[in-house]
Amino acid sequence: MRYDPPFHRTNGLRPAVAILAILIGLPFVVVDPYTRHLLVLSFIFATVAASWDLSLGFGGLFNFAHGALFAVGLYTFALTVKFLGLSPWLAIALGGIAAMAAAALIALPVLRLDGIYVILVTIAVAQLLYQVTVSQSKWTGGTSGIVSLPALRIAGYSFIRDGKIGYYYAALLLLVMATAFLYLLIRSSLGRAIVGLRDHKYFAIARGVSEARTRLLTLVASALFTGMAGAFYGSYVRVASPDVFGLGFLTLILSILLVGGVATLWGPIASAFVMTFLSEAIVSLGPWREIIMGVVIVLVVSFYPGGLWAAIQELRERLDVLRTGVMAAWRRRTERAARIARMGGAEEVMMQTPHGAIAVSDTGGNKPPILFLHGNSACKEAFAKQFAALRDEFRLVAFDLPGHGVSDNGDPETSYNVIAYAEVAEAVIAARGLHRPVVFGWSLGGYVGLELAARARAPLAGLAICGTSPLAVVPDDFAAGYDASSHLILASKQYFTRAEAAAYAGSATAPRSAESLYLHHNLPRTDGRARAYMMTKLPVVNWPRQMRMLREGKLPFAIIDGADDPFLNHNYLLELCRSAGWSHPLINIPKGKHAPFFNTPEAFDTVFVAFCRRALAAAEEREPAAATRSARPQP
């Protein structure tokens, strides 16, 4: 399943609305005509660059005739209003249609070409259109162009009045329309086909994607608002000049695209304002202007290929890491007493590990130990009900994974993966002196427990997992072991909207209520990189080793799931447990959902305690036998 919420439910809604509101109110603050002129050009160039990003960035088509499509829209406007007397508004629409028709003609020779051959053909087509424009001076004015084009009007009001404020809002509307069109297209089935052909051409073709049809539609779609922007530009500057065919204009648009970041949509839009103002600032340098713009392109492509949008995303990530780190530190100091009380008085300590400072809750004592491992975006307090109910019989220990709860944020490259989490668990077992503990892993914690057991560096008495499908092959088994229609798809999303956070926490533990409120409050603290990196690093885990360990049957093991767990593919688990050589029980708790230990604690505790007793008894039987074997004299 591809998780792709509508724009109004994404994190981009508020920034987009705020920026749009600023742009709408800006003319009342910026009254300088020249600054307004640059803003209008920025809107036009942003429209052209974002449209080019569809074919060059998302489609991977090196279409260097995009500037010519802008020129087609410009000259369509000029010819239709000058010689046919059409309304300028209608001429703008015709400019888009004419550019689409030109793009379709350009597409014909490049449908089955790749790489440099596409570049050569599109450059040749652009030069052909230029030569046609210059040679037909009777209609196009040749090298002088067509001048004195009519301005836009509405009910007698000319857009050039009042500091061209009418053009400002018309250009802004054009950019908004183009952005909405491109946003919806990129997220459509056609958009996925476009990206699929770019990234995995032959796989996409094997899945039924038509290369010729998709390339044709890509070029035509990228031409629509490019042509309209060209026509609008003609009504704004009131001149149709062949200069738009030149290298200077193409370099400007290409610099906007590359500096903003290809295949981002928003990057070229943000970059358009920067590069337009920069280009105008150095216009007095003459030929050095194009040289400087070319140097900017080379520097960005060589040293920062992600462009401006990548820089914005890095800044956003740094701010989010700072926010979650400060939140963890604040809660460590101010809410410690509340956490201790919630965990039944269990001691909370901070211990250093190779992956940062980790918060550990430990009831202490000499009772048989149980180590709890929580799930993705959760915390150790998820097991508060077990700490209250089982502490008289067992020593209970739980800790916050790196980037979770009140533990420190970790290095995403080294600390946010199953292997690193298992290393942290080993460090906790050693530091707290846990001798052969029973381990319970929930969701992500289940994989940590499986890795911990398979590594066999810290001997365990037994292992129980919940909300976790054991895997042998990734990603195949992962796709088979889970329900793709559930909120599990959010498990790898770095940033949550408020609605997504509520949906994920409600599915992972329980819907928001007075009882589960603290778990919902914990989710925003989680370092979003922990979700994103953990999923991307799943392939590095030795999954076959885990499955071999389970099939050997040497370690007591049980799966204790909610019968109605929304994340799991229960048929996958049934087939696994019925397969040859599998000797471990599958226990389903009615109405337990993804966290039966929280939703139905009495039913869960009954089953889990029985498993722990059996596992600990088996461990005690194994230890004397091992001691007897080691005491025998060797021959």
Side-chain angles (χ1 to χ4, degrees), residues 495-507:
Y495 306 107
F496 283 165
T497 64
R498 184 174 298 180
E500 289 169 343
Y504 185 76
S507 296

Side-chain angles (χ1 to χ4, degrees), residues 92-116:
I92 290 176
L94 289 177
I97 296 174
M100 293 171 67
L105 293 176
I106 293 172
L108 294 178
V110 302
L111 287 180
R112 299 192 179 278
L113 299 177
D114 285 308
I116 191 172

Side-chain angles (χ1 to χ4, degrees), residues 251-322:
T251 302
L252 173 62
I253 301 300
L254 184 60
S255 66
I256 290 173
L257 177 56
L258 296 179
V259 170
V262 296
T264 62
L265 178 59
W266 304 105
I269 295 174
S271 173
F273 296 88
V274 176
M275 299 307 295
T276 300
F277 277 78
L278 173 62
S279 176
E280 288 298 317
I282 61 176
V283 69
S284 61
L285 298 179
W288 283 98
R289 180 192 189 192
E290 280 72 28
I291 294 174
I292 292 173
M293 301 299 285
V295 169
V296 169
I297 293 175
V298 172
L299 291 176
V300 170
V301 172
S302 301
F303 298 103
Y304 205 81
L308 179 61
W309 190 246
I312 294 173
Q313 295 306 307
E314 286 184 11
L315 176 61
R316 179 189 185 187
E317 182 175 287
R318 288 176 183 272
L319 292 175
D320 191 66
V321 171
L322 177 63

Side-chain angles (χ1 to χ4, degrees), residues 75 79 83 133-147 240 242:
Y75 274 91
L79 292 170
F83 298 104
T133 301
V134 172
S135 64
Q136 301 300 312
S137 58
K138 177 181 178 181
W139 301 100
T140 64
T143 56
S144 300
I146 306 174
V147 298

Side-chain angles (χ1 to χ4, degrees), residues 24-82:
I24 290 174
L26 197 59
F28 299 101
V29 179
V30 179
V31 295
D32 174 50
Y34 181 66
T35 304
R36 282 188 182 177
H37 166 69
L38 293 183
L39 288 171
V40 172
L41 292 181
S42 298
F43 295 149
I44 295 172
F45 296 156
T47 301
V48 178
S51 297
W52 196 2
D53 195 26
L54 176 65
S55 59
L56 181 62
F58 290 96
L61 292 173
F62 297 98
N63 168 30
F64 278 77
H66 196 77
L69 298 178
F70 180 86
V72 167
L74 170 61
Y75 274 91
T76 298
F77 175 85
L79 292 170
T80 52
V81 299
K82 195 75 172 179

